[in-house]
Amino acid sequence: MDRQNEKALIGEAAVIQFVKDGMAVGLGTGSTAYYVIKKMGEMVKSGMKLKGVATSKATEKLAMECGIQLIDINEVEELDLAIDGADEIDANFYAIKGGGGALLREKIIANAAKTFIVVADGSKKVQSLGKFPLPIEVVPFGYKQTERAIRKFGCKTEIREKDGEIFVTDNGNYIVDCSFSSIQNPTQLQQDLNNIVGVVENGLFIDMVDVLISIKEHKEISVEYVKN
């Protein structure tokens, strides 16, 4: 099975199993979350009443095209669910997110949800984090100083660019992509990075995932409930 078919199966399975009428759902960003949003749009067209909170402007646009009513995160005390992809997820259900540049909003929305569901195809599951560059969102002012401070934790860094220009997040910030050979202690690294002046948030999602939906051989959907 190719990756796109895997993503479609996983995304649709998450919606079918967990999304119920009347829910407020955090809508992720990325190639697997795309199928989540499309399936929710089908349910809305069939009469289900759902509200969504988007993690990016791109997701906002797609959700509106699919007929999903969008609300501001500040309008609710908490969300019933948030469903999103991951760039990597390890055996402890720790994840790296932010490859699409939306890590700050993704983390805010995941934290606001009663249940945070990660949908990940087989290529995203790893024994330990670090192969995928860790994104860190930083404020533009003094970003080179912030980048130098980040490098002290043993990584190579690169300011993310798009079309030859520095990539700017939906929040008006920059992203530093950090290449580690391996992240041995993700919990400590998360704390250390967020203590750097100029860092807004990092892409380590530690003890946040409640459910992981992936796919086994022979197209079998796997649903794992995480005990945090």
Side-chain angles (χ1 to χ4, degrees):
M1 187 191 308
D2 65 35
R3 291 296 180 209
Q4 286 306 118
N5 284 337
E6 278 194 30
K7 291 174 181 180
L9 281 173
I10 295 164
E12 291 172 4
V15 175
I16 292 168
Q17 182 162 343
F18 289 95
V19 176
K20 309 299 181 188
D21 190 52
M23 279 188 167
V25 181
L27 307 175
T29 295
S31 55
T32 308
Y34 168 86
Y35 294 103
V36 171
I37 296 164
K38 294 291 281 187
K39 188 63 179 179
M40 284 180 58
E42 290 177 15
M43 289 182 161
V44 168
K45 288 174 184 175
S46 298
M48 188 176 283
K49 296 186 186 306
L50 298 171
K51 295 178 181 178
V53 176
T55 53
S56 65
K57 292 178 181 177
T59 290
E60 193 174 283
K61 181 175 181 292
L62 176 61
M64 288 191 292
E65 290 172 355
C66 292
I68 299 170
Q69 179 187 352
L70 291 175
I71 56 174
D72 189 284
I73 184 65
N74 295 307
E75 294 177 24
V76 291
E77 288 190 13
E78 62 181 0
L79 299 168
D80 296 292
L81 300 173
I83 307 175
D84 208 345
D87 298 303
E88 281 189 343
I89 187 161
D90 70 9
N92 294 313
F93 304 99
Y94 297 165
I96 286 179
K97 292 177 50 56
L103 67 97
L104 176 59
R105 295 189 186 191
E106 288 173 341
K107 192 172 270 193
I108 289 171
I109 286 173
N111 190 62
K114 295 177 189 174
T115 304
F116 177 42
I117 301 169
V118 165
V119 284
D121 66 73
S123 68
K124 307 300 174 62
K125 298 180 77 172
V126 297
Q127 285 301 308
S128 60
L129 300 177
K131 184 177 180 181
F132 190 92
L134 173 65
I136 300 174
E137 188 159 340
V138 303
V139 295
F141 184 82
Y143 72 92
K144 287 188 178 294
Q145 280 73 19
T146 307
E147 184 182 10
R148 281 194 285 271
I150 292 169
R151 280 202 294 269
K152 293 178 181 178
F153 291 95
C155 60
K156 295 180 180 178
T157 63
E158 185 174 344
I159 298 294
R160 187 177 298 185
E161 295 187 355
K162 184 177 181 181
D163 300 326
E165 303 287 340
I166 293 179
F167 173 81
V168 179
T169 71
D170 289 344
N171 316 299
N173 297 316
Y174 296 166
I175 286 185
V176 181
D177 287 310
C178 306
S179 297
F180 293 85
S181 56
S182 179
I183 298 175
Q184 298 299 316
N185 190 337
T187 303
Q188 186 62 52
L189 181 62
Q190 176 180 237
Q191 295 172 0
D192 291 339
L193 291 173
N194 281 355
N195 283 334
I196 296 172
V197 176
V199 167
V200 179
E201 188 53 84
N202 68 80
L204 286 166
F205 282 57
I206 308 299
D207 293 330
M208 296 187 74
V209 178
D210 297 302
V211 180
L212 171 62
I213 301 180
S214 56
I215 198 160
K216 298 179 181 178
E217 295 180 7
H218 311 299
K219 303 182 183 180
E220 183 183 350
I221 299 294
S222 168
V223 180
E224 299 175 78
Y225 293 84
V226 183
K227 295 179 181 179
N228 288 330

